[in-house]
Amino acid sequence: PAQVVAGQGFTLQLTGVRFCSQSTVQFNGTPLPATFISATRIDAAIPGTLTTNLVGNVPVRVQNADVGACLAPSGFSNTVNWN
């Protein structure tokens, strides 16, 4: 979304490559489950409790439990700042 009202949740759509059904999203360091859409898209429901006191950039990254099949060898995607 272009804007988020503090205290309200939203769905964050992430696009990339090599996503898996076991991918999770870290939003500002908080791990959240992801909905697998395809190998190039996952969605994450960001609860309102995580949007209450946001200031500036918020780091977002994807993690996979099965490192071999998906993302980079570290198991994490690159981190992207969401603002």
Side-chain angles (χ1 to χ4, degrees), residues 11-82:
T11 299
L12 183 62
Q13 295 180 356
L14 296 102
T15 57
V17 295
R18 300 177 70 187
F19 294 140
C20 296
S21 59
Q22 72 272 25
S23 296
T24 59
V25 172
Q26 289 189 357
F27 183 82
N28 206 24
T30 301
L32 300 168
T35 301
F36 178 78
I37 307 299
S38 71
T40 59
R41 179 176 156 204
I42 57 175
D43 291 354
I46 310 300
T49 55
L50 296 181
T51 66
T52 303
N53 296 311
L54 294 179
V55 177
N57 294 327
V58 176
V60 177
R61 70 179 181 170
V62 176
Q63 182 178 18
N64 285 318
D66 179 7
V67 178
C70 304
L71 295 169
S74 67
F76 287 99
S77 69
N78 57 316
T79 299
V80 175
N81 287 320
W82 179 80

